[in-house]
Amino acid sequence: MDATRRRRQTALVRAALLDAAVEEARVHGVGNVTVLSVAARAGVSKGALFHHFANRQDLLEAAYAECLARFGDALDVLVATDPVPHGRFSRAYVRATFEAMHAEDANWARFSLSALVEPAFAALWRHWLDERLAQVPAERNAPRLRVARLAADGYWLQALGGGLVESDLAGIDALRECVVSFTYDDAQPAIG
């Protein structure tokens, strides 16, 4: 097997393990994910799992980091296409959150929030968000922009729990755009 094919195979196995970890967490809860169940779901041996990840925590943290990377990629696309500079990150954050929860495969989005009950993942999330907000300091404490991001987080939590979330696309779009409207014309002073 040539080196390129080996690297591709290694990347496929790693991706399968991450997908399996997310699916196991979705089905059984993060606390009940085991290396054996992930390896079985991915169709690989326990040894193959340990070739890629040192332990269960390393596997779960890698899955969480992948969630953040996917969410960040979606944000970057939305930011790049937004012609209005002020509030651009927060608008992208709101839109990406709504889109993630209603994507064809929302398992990664659901895992990313459910994983926040783990202190290590909560720390990764805070660090990720702090880094992103450091790139747009005017958005960090602008009240209307914070409200929009917090509303998106609340929507994410509601969608995760199957609570009071709109089920029809028109209702979801209307709710999203209502939240997005907070990201425009933020003339109030920053708080904090």
Side-chain angles (χ1 to χ4, degrees):
M1 184 183 303
D2 67 356
T4 302
R5 189 169 171 191
R6 247 191 326 271
R7 280 191 301 273
R8 189 175 323 130
Q9 183 64 26
T10 298
L12 290 173
V13 169
R14 187 177 196 284
L17 287 165
L18 293 174
D19 285 336
V22 167
E23 185 63 17
E24 282 294 305
R26 185 191 66 77
V27 171
H28 303 292
V30 174
N32 295 316
V33 172
T34 67
V35 292
L36 289 174
S37 66
V38 171
R41 186 176 290 274
V44 301
S45 68
K46 188 169 80 168
L49 184 148
F50 286 125
H51 173 76
H52 292 276
F53 305 101
N55 53 44
R56 175 186 175 276
Q57 188 66 25
D58 186 39
L59 168 66
L60 291 173
E61 286 181 18
Y64 195 72
E66 179 66 19
C67 288
L68 292 176
R70 288 180 183 203
F71 188 67
D73 290 346
L75 277 173
D76 292 342
V77 168
L78 292 168
V79 165
T81 59
D82 188 334
V84 180
H86 181 73
R88 186 180 285 155
F89 171 80
S90 296
R91 276 188 298 284
Y93 185 91
V94 169
R95 289 183 171 131
T97 299
F98 273 74
E99 288 172 13
M101 292 313 296
H102 298 286
E104 190 172 305
D105 178 16
N107 289 344
W108 283 88
R110 290 185 179 105
F111 170 71
S112 68
L113 184 62
S114 65
L116 284 176
V117 299
E118 296 283 325
F121 301 150
L124 287 171
W125 169 253
R126 282 190 307 275
H127 178 72
W128 178 88
L129 186 56
D130 283 344
E131 282 187 345
R132 296 303 291 239
L133 287 170
Q135 297 171 17
V136 287
E139 293 196 34
R140 178 180 294 276
N141 293 321
R144 293 173 60 93
L145 300 179
R146 283 187 72 190
V147 165
R149 293 191 309 271
L150 291 170
D153 291 343
Y155 181 80
W156 195 317
L157 182 59
Q158 288 272 320
L160 177 69
L164 307 170
V165 174
E166 301 291 330
S167 59
D168 65 289
L169 290 177
I172 292 166
D173 289 346
L175 185 59
R176 182 194 63 235
E177 291 311 307
C178 180
V179 175
V180 166
S181 72
F182 279 92
T183 67
Y184 291 102
D185 196 34
D186 188 19
Q188 297 184 2
I191 57 175

Short mmCIF file of all heavy atoms in Angstrom, two decimals, residues 140-176:
data_model
loop_
_atom_site.label_atom_id
_atom_site.label_comp_id
_atom_site.label_asym_id
_atom_site.label_seq_id
_atom_site.Cartn_x
_atom_site.Cartn_y
_atom_site.Cartn_z
N ARG A 140 -17.88 41.54 21.12
CA ARG A 140 -17.86 40.77 22.36
C ARG A 140 -18.92 41.22 23.36
O ARG A 140 -19.70 40.42 23.85
CB ARG A 140 -16.49 40.83 23.03
CG ARG A 140 -16.44 40.06 24.36
CD ARG A 140 -15.09 40.13 25.02
NE ARG A 140 -14.07 39.45 24.26
CZ ARG A 140 -13.84 38.13 24.31
NH1 ARG A 140 -14.56 37.36 25.08
NH2 ARG A 140 -12.88 37.60 23.59
N ASN A 141 -18.97 42.49 23.69
CA ASN A 141 -19.87 42.97 24.73
C ASN A 141 -20.96 43.91 24.24
O ASN A 141 -21.63 44.53 25.06
CB ASN A 141 -19.06 43.65 25.84
CG ASN A 141 -18.19 42.66 26.58
OD1 ASN A 141 -18.60 41.54 26.84
ND2 ASN A 141 -16.97 43.06 26.88
N ALA A 142 -21.14 44.02 22.94
CA ALA A 142 -22.23 44.84 22.42
C ALA A 142 -23.54 44.18 22.82
O ALA A 142 -23.77 43.02 22.48
CB ALA A 142 -22.11 44.97 20.91
N PRO A 143 -24.40 44.87 23.55
CA PRO A 143 -25.59 44.24 24.14
C PRO A 143 -26.48 43.50 23.15
O PRO A 143 -26.84 42.35 23.39
CB PRO A 143 -26.34 45.41 24.78
CG PRO A 143 -25.30 46.44 25.04
CD PRO A 143 -24.30 46.29 23.94
N ARG A 144 -26.83 44.15 22.06
CA ARG A 144 -27.74 43.49 21.11
C ARG A 144 -27.09 42.27 20.47
O ARG A 144 -27.77 41.27 20.20
CB ARG A 144 -28.22 44.49 20.06
CG ARG A 144 -29.11 45.58 20.65
CD ARG A 144 -29.43 46.65 19.62
NE ARG A 144 -30.13 46.12 18.47
CZ ARG A 144 -31.45 46.09 18.32
NH1 ARG A 144 -32.21 46.56 19.28
NH2 ARG A 144 -32.00 45.61 17.23
N LEU A 145 -25.80 42.33 20.23
CA LEU A 145 -25.10 41.20 19.63
C LEU A 145 -25.00 40.04 20.62
O LEU A 145 -25.17 38.87 20.24
CB LEU A 145 -23.73 41.63 19.13
CG LEU A 145 -23.74 42.73 18.06
CD1 LEU A 145 -22.32 43.09 17.66
CD2 LEU A 145 -24.58 42.34 16.86
N ARG A 146 -24.75 40.36 21.87
CA ARG A 146 -24.74 39.31 22.91
C ARG A 146 -26.11 38.67 23.05
O ARG A 146 -26.23 37.45 23.18
CB ARG A 146 -24.30 39.88 24.25
CG ARG A 146 -22.80 40.10 24.34
CD ARG A 146 -22.36 40.50 25.72
NE ARG A 146 -22.44 39.35 26.62
CZ ARG A 146 -22.29 39.45 27.93
NH1 ARG A 146 -22.06 40.62 28.50
NH2 ARG A 146 -22.36 38.38 28.69
N VAL A 147 -27.15 39.50 23.02
CA VAL A 147 -28.51 38.97 23.12
C VAL A 147 -28.77 38.00 21.97
O VAL A 147 -29.34 36.92 22.17
CB VAL A 147 -29.55 40.11 23.13
CG1 VAL A 147 -30.96 39.60 22.86
CG2 VAL A 147 -29.52 40.84 24.47
N ALA A 148 -28.35 38.36 20.77
CA ALA A 148 -28.57 37.49 19.61
C ALA A 148 -27.84 36.16 19.79
O ALA A 148 -28.41 35.09 19.54
CB ALA A 148 -28.11 38.19 18.34
N ARG A 149 -26.58 36.22 20.22
CA ARG A 149 -25.82 34.98 20.41
C ARG A 149 -26.43 34.13 21.52
O ARG A 149 -26.53 32.90 21.41
CB ARG A 149 -24.35 35.28 20.69
CG ARG A 149 -23.61 35.89 19.49
CD ARG A 149 -22.11 35.94 19.69
NE ARG A 149 -21.69 36.56 20.93
CZ ARG A 149 -21.44 37.86 21.10
NH1 ARG A 149 -21.58 38.70 20.09
NH2 ARG A 149 -21.05 38.32 22.26
N LEU A 150 -26.85 34.77 22.60
CA LEU A 150 -27.47 34.03 23.70
C LEU A 150 -28.81 33.44 23.28
O LEU A 150 -29.15 32.32 23.69
CB LEU A 150 -27.64 34.94 24.92
CG LEU A 150 -26.34 35.34 25.62
CD1 LEU A 150 -26.60 36.43 26.65
CD2 LEU A 150 -25.67 34.14 26.26
N ALA A 151 -29.56 34.16 22.48
CA ALA A 151 -30.83 33.62 21.97
C ALA A 151 -30.57 32.40 21.09
O ALA A 151 -31.30 31.41 21.16
CB ALA A 151 -31.59 34.69 21.20
N ALA A 152 -29.52 32.46 20.27
CA ALA A 152 -29.18 31.30 19.44
C ALA A 152 -28.80 30.12 20.32
O ALA A 152 -29.21 28.98 20.05
CB ALA A 152 -28.03 31.65 18.49
N ASP A 153 -28.05 30.38 21.39
CA ASP A 153 -27.69 29.30 22.32
C ASP A 153 -28.95 28.71 22.95
O ASP A 153 -29.07 27.49 23.12
CB ASP A 153 -26.76 29.81 23.41
CG ASP A 153 -25.37 30.16 22.89
OD1 ASP A 153 -25.01 29.73 21.78
OD2 ASP A 153 -24.65 30.89 23.61
N GLY A 154 -29.89 29.57 23.31
CA GLY A 154 -31.14 29.10 23.88
C GLY A 154 -31.93 28.26 22.90
O GLY A 154 -32.52 27.24 23.25
N TYR A 155 -31.95 28.68 21.65
CA TYR A 155 -32.62 27.90 20.61
C TYR A 155 -31.97 26.53 20.48
O TYR A 155 -32.64 25.51 20.38
CB TYR A 155 -32.57 28.65 19.27
CG TYR A 155 -33.27 27.89 18.18
CD1 TYR A 155 -34.65 27.94 18.06
CD2 TYR A 155 -32.55 27.11 17.29
CE1 TYR A 155 -35.30 27.22 17.07
CE2 TYR A 155 -33.19 26.39 16.30
CZ TYR A 155 -34.56 26.45 16.20
OH TYR A 155 -35.20 25.72 15.22
N TRP A 156 -30.64 26.52 20.49
CA TRP A 156 -29.89 25.27 20.38
C TRP A 156 -30.29 24.34 21.54
O TRP A 156 -30.56 23.16 21.32
CB TRP A 156 -28.42 25.60 20.46
CG TRP A 156 -27.45 24.55 20.04
CD1 TRP A 156 -27.47 23.22 20.32
CD2 TRP A 156 -26.27 24.76 19.27
NE1 TRP A 156 -26.39 22.59 19.78
CE2 TRP A 156 -25.63 23.52 19.13
CE3 TRP A 156 -25.68 25.88 18.71
CZ2 TRP A 156 -24.45 23.36 18.43
CZ3 TRP A 156 -24.49 25.71 18.02
CH2 TRP A 156 -23.88 24.47 17.88
N LEU A 157 -30.34 24.87 22.73
CA LEU A 157 -30.73 24.07 23.90
C LEU A 157 -32.16 23.56 23.76
O LEU A 157 -32.44 22.39 24.03
CB LEU A 157 -30.58 24.90 25.17
CG LEU A 157 -30.89 24.21 26.48
CD1 LEU A 157 -30.00 23.00 26.68
CD2 LEU A 157 -30.73 25.18 27.63
N GLN A 158 -33.08 24.40 23.33
CA GLN A 158 -34.47 23.98 23.13
C GLN A 158 -34.54 22.88 22.08
O GLN A 158 -35.25 21.90 22.25
CB GLN A 158 -35.32 25.17 22.70
CG GLN A 158 -35.57 26.16 23.79
CD GLN A 158 -36.80 25.80 24.60
OE1 GLN A 158 -37.78 25.37 24.06
NE2 GLN A 158 -36.71 25.97 25.90
N ALA A 159 -33.84 23.06 20.96
CA ALA A 159 -33.87 22.06 19.89
C ALA A 159 -33.28 20.75 20.37
O ALA A 159 -33.79 19.67 20.04
CB ALA A 159 -33.12 22.58 18.67
N LEU A 160 -32.23 20.82 21.15
CA LEU A 160 -31.61 19.61 21.68
C LEU A 160 -32.59 18.85 22.57
O LEU A 160 -32.71 17.63 22.48
CB LEU A 160 -30.36 19.97 22.49
CG LEU A 160 -29.67 18.79 23.17
CD1 LEU A 160 -29.04 17.88 22.13
CD2 LEU A 160 -28.63 19.27 24.15
N GLY A 161 -33.30 19.57 23.40
CA GLY A 161 -34.23 18.93 24.32
C GLY A 161 -35.58 18.62 23.72
O GLY A 161 -36.44 18.04 24.38
N GLY A 162 -35.80 19.01 22.47
CA GLY A 162 -37.08 18.75 21.83
C GLY A 162 -38.19 19.63 22.39
O GLY A 162 -39.36 19.29 22.28
N GLY A 163 -37.82 20.75 22.97
CA GLY A 163 -38.79 21.64 23.60
C GLY A 163 -39.52 22.53 22.62
O GLY A 163 -39.79 22.16 21.49
N LEU A 164 -39.79 23.72 23.01
CA LEU A 164 -40.67 24.65 22.31
C LEU A 164 -40.07 25.22 21.04
O LEU A 164 -40.08 26.43 20.82
CB LEU A 164 -41.03 25.80 23.26
CG LEU A 164 -41.60 25.38 24.61
CD1 LEU A 164 -41.67 26.57 25.55
CD2 LEU A 164 -42.96 24.75 24.42
N VAL A 165 -39.60 24.39 20.17
CA VAL A 165 -38.98 24.84 18.93
C VAL A 165 -39.97 24.68 17.78
O VAL A 165 -40.69 23.69 17.71
CB VAL A 165 -37.69 24.03 18.66
CG1 VAL A 165 -37.09 24.37 17.32
CG2 VAL A 165 -36.70 24.26 19.77
N GLU A 166 -40.00 25.67 16.90
CA GLU A 166 -40.86 25.60 15.72
C GLU A 166 -40.50 24.36 14.90
O GLU A 166 -39.34 24.01 14.77
CB GLU A 166 -40.64 26.84 14.85
CG GLU A 166 -40.93 28.15 15.54
CD GLU A 166 -42.40 28.33 15.82
OE1 GLU A 166 -43.23 27.81 15.06
OE2 GLU A 166 -42.72 29.00 16.81
N SER A 167 -41.50 23.72 14.34
CA SER A 167 -41.22 22.53 13.54
C SER A 167 -41.35 22.80 12.04
O SER A 167 -40.81 22.07 11.24
CB SER A 167 -42.15 21.38 13.94
OG SER A 167 -43.49 21.77 13.76
N ASP A 168 -42.07 23.85 11.66
CA ASP A 168 -42.20 24.14 10.24
C ASP A 168 -41.12 25.13 9.82
O ASP A 168 -40.68 25.96 10.60
CB ASP A 168 -43.59 24.70 9.93
CG ASP A 168 -43.82 26.05 10.58
OD1 ASP A 168 -43.96 26.11 11.82
OD2 ASP A 168 -43.85 27.04 9.83
N LEU A 169 -40.68 25.00 8.58
CA LEU A 169 -39.58 25.83 8.09
C LEU A 169 -39.90 27.32 8.13
O LEU A 169 -39.02 28.12 8.46
CB LEU A 169 -39.20 25.41 6.67
CG LEU A 169 -38.51 24.06 6.54
CD1 LEU A 169 -38.24 23.72 5.09
CD2 LEU A 169 -37.22 24.05 7.33
N ALA A 170 -41.12 27.71 7.85
CA ALA A 170 -41.47 29.13 7.88
C ALA A 170 -41.35 29.67 9.30
O ALA A 170 -40.84 30.78 9.50
CB ALA A 170 -42.89 29.34 7.34
N GLY A 171 -41.77 28.90 10.28
CA GLY A 171 -41.66 29.33 11.67
C GLY A 171 -40.22 29.42 12.12
O GLY A 171 -39.83 30.36 12.83
N ILE A 172 -39.41 28.48 11.70
CA ILE A 172 -37.99 28.48 12.04
C ILE A 172 -37.30 29.68 11.40
O ILE A 172 -36.54 30.40 12.05
CB ILE A 172 -37.32 27.15 11.60
CG1 ILE A 172 -37.86 26.00 12.44
CG2 ILE A 172 -35.80 27.25 11.70
CD1 ILE A 172 -37.53 24.63 11.88
N ASP A 173 -37.60 29.91 10.12
CA ASP A 173 -37.01 31.06 9.43
C ASP A 173 -37.40 32.38 10.09
O ASP A 173 -36.57 33.27 10.26
CB ASP A 173 -37.42 31.08 7.96
CG ASP A 173 -36.78 29.97 7.14
OD1 ASP A 173 -35.82 29.34 7.64
OD2 ASP A 173 -37.25 29.72 6.02
N ALA A 174 -38.67 32.50 10.46
CA ALA A 174 -39.13 33.74 11.10
C ALA A 174 -38.45 33.95 12.44
O ALA A 174 -38.02 35.06 12.76
CB ALA A 174 -40.65 33.69 11.28
N LEU A 175 -38.31 32.89 13.21
CA LEU A 175 -37.64 32.99 14.51
C LEU A 175 -36.18 33.37 14.33
O LEU A 175 -35.67 34.27 14.99
CB LEU A 175 -37.78 31.67 15.26
CG LEU A 175 -37.26 31.62 16.68
CD1 LEU A 175 -37.95 32.65 17.56
CD2 LEU A 175 -37.48 30.22 17.25
N ARG A 176 -35.50 32.71 13.40
CA ARG A 176 -34.09 33.01 13.12
C ARG A 176 -33.91 34.47 12.72
O ARG A 176 -33.04 35.16 13.23
CB ARG A 176 -33.55 32.09 12.03
CG ARG A 176 -32.07 32.32 11.74
CD ARG A 176 -31.62 31.66 10.45
NE ARG A 176 -32.33 32.25 9.34
CZ ARG A 176 -33.04 31.55 8.44
NH1 ARG A 176 -33.11 30.25 8.51
NH2 ARG A 176 -33.67 32.17 7.45
#
